[in-house]
């Protein structure tokens, strides 16, 4: 999505320059929420203040809203169909395999030392044995990260 | 009233789901256990639809989950709830942009949050896998798919369509 934003906002429309979009992108990564949405909000704010931000954000989520709503309706209609049921069993298998792959590639990128490995094991244990809410886990590990300091 | 609750739950996800991509899955898995809105199996179908559609996955997941819960208005409410915290935060940061160079402390936060997110996605994946992988053939197919995904990196939608076709052929 980022190359698309760059092509459209920097090269075609010239609303932002290269360093601005890099700034927005790195800040978009450091704020909660979806990065592409955050970049859009930033761009909208720069061009048109508060309402610009609202307009750009509405723009970027609209296609998802429309497409997903239509898909959800269509899938509901055909769900009793026997072929659809077989298809979805196969699709679910693909989804589980995709999730496994996401975990492996995130692991490779983000687990770089034994402290992170400990956090991983601890959180996994907490999920399995204590069913702790993901919200509390993010709060707890985020605080821990501030205290630990990377690379120290 | 359902809309208020829906907004609140997705607001919390928008605030705490750091890291992008499938990070919303463990949060939604938690919602499936907490409310009768959608089942864990329906969550797997949502992931398939969200991965196969254009647009950010997090947004697609929220729209679908909200739609499952209470129709078109539910989809709108959940999506609005999800983006609301980040829009507010980004607007505030945009106002103070010159002072906000402190992404260093955020890097420290993510240093510890990333391993936690991986563990949470793994846990959700195992739980969802226990629903989907019910016999030797489904387990075998998952391993084949995983190998294919790992060695031939194509867009997720390719594997989802392939899964559907194989499901019909093998009458899974």
């Amino acid at each position: 999505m980022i190359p698309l934003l760059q092509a459209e906002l920097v090269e075609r429309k010239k609303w932002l320059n290269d360093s601005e979009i890099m700034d927005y992108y790195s800040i978009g990564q450091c704020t909660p929420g979806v990065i592409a949405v955050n970049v859009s909000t930033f761009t909208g704010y720069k061009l048109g203040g508060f309402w610009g931000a609202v307009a750009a954000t509405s723009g970027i989520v609209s296609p998802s809203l429309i497409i997903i709503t239509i898909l959800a309706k269509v899938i509901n209609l055909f769900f009793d169909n026997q072929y659809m049921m077989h298809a979805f069993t196969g699709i679910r298998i693909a989804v589980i395999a995709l999730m496994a792959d996401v975990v492996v590639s995130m692991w490779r990128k983000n687990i770089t030392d034994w402290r992170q490995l400990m956090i991983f094991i601890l959180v996994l244990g907490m999920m399995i044995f204590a069913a702790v809410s993901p919200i509390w886990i993010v709060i707890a590990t985020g605080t821990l990260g501030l205290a630990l300091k990377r690379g120290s | 009233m359902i809309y208020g609750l829906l907004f609140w739950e997705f607001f919390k996800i928008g605030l705490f789901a750091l890291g992008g991509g499938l990070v919303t899955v463990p949060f939604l898995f938690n919602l499936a256990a907490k409310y009768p809105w959608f089942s864990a199996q329906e969550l797997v179908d949502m992931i398939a639809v969200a991965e196969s559609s254009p647009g950010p996955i997090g947004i697609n997941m929220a729209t679908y989950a909200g739609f499952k819960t209470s129709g078109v208005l539910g989809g709108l409410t959940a999506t609005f709830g999800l983006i609301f915290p980040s829009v507010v935060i980004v607007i505030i940061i945009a106002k103070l942009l010159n002072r906000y160079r402190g992404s260093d402390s955020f890097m420290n936060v993510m240093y510890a949050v990333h391993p936690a997110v991986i563990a949470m996605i793994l846990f959700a994946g195992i739980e969802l896998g226990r629903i989907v992988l019910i016999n030797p053939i489904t387990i075998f197919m998952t391993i084949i798919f995983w190998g294919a995904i790992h060695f031939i990196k194509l867009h997720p939608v390719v594997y989802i369509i392939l899964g559907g076709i194989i499901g019909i052929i093998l009458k899974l």
Side-chain angles (χ1 to χ4, degrees):
Chain A
M1 200 121 183
I2 298 304
L4 209 65
L5 284 170
Q6 177 140 7
E8 200 60 26
L9 301 178
V10 180
E11 277 145 42
R12 238 170 60 83
K13 295 272 190 249
K14 304 204 189 316
W15 283 343
L16 304 174
N17 60 39
D18 275 320
S19 87
E20 278 172 323
I21 196 156
M22 285 318 289
D23 271 359
Y24 292 176
Y25 181 60
S26 55
I27 298 167
Q29 272 183 308
C30 310
T31 40
V34 181
I35 296 167
V37 176
N38 294 350
V39 173
S40 315
T41 311
F42 258 122
T43 310
Y45 187 85
K46 188 214 163 194
L47 292 172
F50 175 80
W51 290 110
V54 171
T57 311
S58 313
I60 197 131
V61 299
S62 292
S64 290
L65 273 172
I66 295 165
I67 293 169
I68 294 289
T69 304
I70 293 170
L71 271 179
K73 277 205 175 214
V74 170
I75 286 170
N76 264 351
L77 286 179
F78 292 101
F79 224 19
D80 297 327
N81 180 292
Q82 209 195 338
Y83 291 105
M84 273 295 270
M85 277 161 60
H86 290 314
F88 261 90
T89 311
I91 287 169
R92 287 177 196 132
I93 290 171
V95 169
I96 298 298
L98 282 166
M99 283 187 80
D101 193 59
V102 165
V103 169
V104 170
S105 62
M106 283 183 81
W107 173 286
R108 280 202 184 142
K109 249 187 278 174
N110 296 302
I111 305 225
T112 52
D113 60 32
W114 64 272
R115 294 195 304 192
Q116 289 183 305
L117 184 66
M118 289 296 294
I119 294 169
F120 172 83
I121 294 168
L122 217 71
V123 170
L124 192 60
M126 273 158 69
M127 298 297 291
I128 293 171
F129 296 109
V132 183
S133 147
I135 292 172
W136 289 113
I137 288 181
V138 169
I139 294 174
T141 51
T143 314
L144 183 68
L146 277 177
L148 275 179
K149 293 213 172 57
R150 187 167 49 105
S152 61
Chain B
M1 201 46 243
I2 179 78
Y3 299 112
L5 194 59
L6 204 57
F7 178 85
W8 172 237
E9 287 298 340
F10 278 88
F11 177 87
K12 286 192 288 183
I13 297 177
L15 199 53
F16 292 108
L18 299 171
L22 286 181
V23 64
T24 46
V25 171
F27 290 86
L28 293 172
F29 184 75
N30 207 42
L31 280 193
K34 199 167 154 195
Y35 299 105
W37 291 347
F38 47 83
S39 68
Q41 179 167 325
E42 284 172 321
L43 179 57
V44 182
D45 303 340
M46 287 179 204
I47 300 171
V49 173
E51 289 262 26
S52 320
S53 310
I57 293 171
I59 301 294
N60 294 348
M61 291 295 289
T63 306
Y64 200 171
F67 180 86
K68 271 278 176 204
T69 308
S70 54
V72 176
L73 205 55
L76 263 171
T77 310
T79 308
F80 184 60
L82 187 83
I83 61 173
F84 189 75
S86 52
V87 169
V88 171
I89 291 168
V90 166
I91 288 178
I92 291 170
I93 291 176
K95 272 185 185 274
L96 316 165
L97 188 59
N98 294 326
R99 269 183 285 165
Y100 189 85
R101 296 286 172 198
S103 63
D104 230 32
S105 48
F106 187 84
M107 296 291 275
N108 287 331
V109 168
M110 288 316 286
Y111 169 80
V113 171
H114 260 141
V117 166
I118 301 169
M120 294 193 306
I121 296 177
L122 176 63
F123 175 74
I126 291 170
E127 292 294 309
L128 297 176
R130 277 170 40 183
I131 300 167
V132 173
L133 313 179
I134 39 165
N135 52 31
I137 182 151
T138 48
I139 294 170
F140 179 70
M141 290 304 302
T142 308
I143 295 168
I144 300 279
F145 261 97
W146 189 4
I149 293 164
H150 190 75
F151 291 108
I152 319 157
K153 289 249 179 272
L154 299 174
H155 192 275
V157 71
V158 175
Y159 301 105
I160 286 164
I161 292 170
L162 218 62
I165 294 169
I166 290 171
I168 291 172
I169 293 171
L170 296 181
K171 290 199 193 312
L172 288 171

